[in-house]
Amino acid sequence: MITNVSVSGMSCEHCVNRVRGELLAVSGVSAVEVSLETGAVTIESGEALQLSAVRDAVVEAGYELVGV
């Protein structure tokens, strides 16, 4: 499955890597693509993801989930 979300607050590649790392730690996530320029995040998973788990991972990384 593909889940697309938007994240705000990222300003550098370190930010991108933190978001990617936290999302990859979510159960079921197999790949994450993050665009620094747009804040768009594409998450690949074997099953439907709980939005709360995605939001928690983004917050843990230090950023804000602003759209699904």
Side-chain angles (χ1 to χ4, degrees):
M1 295 198 72
I2 302 292
T3 303
N4 294 300
V5 299
S6 295
V7 173
S8 70
M10 297 183 296
S11 61
C12 64
E13 283 301 315
H14 174 74
C15 301
V16 167
N17 290 333
R18 284 203 35 97
V19 170
R20 182 181 297 119
E22 289 294 335
L23 287 169
L24 283 170
V26 173
S27 179
V29 172
S30 58
V32 177
E33 301 256 344
V34 180
S35 170
L36 177 60
E37 293 78 23
T38 66
V41 180
T42 301
I43 306 164
E44 292 183 38
S45 61
E47 57 193 45
L49 296 175
Q50 294 291 324
L51 183 57
S52 60
V54 173
R55 180 177 289 117
D56 289 349
V58 170
V59 169
E60 182 67 27
Y63 306 96
E64 182 180 1
L65 185 69
V66 294
V68 178

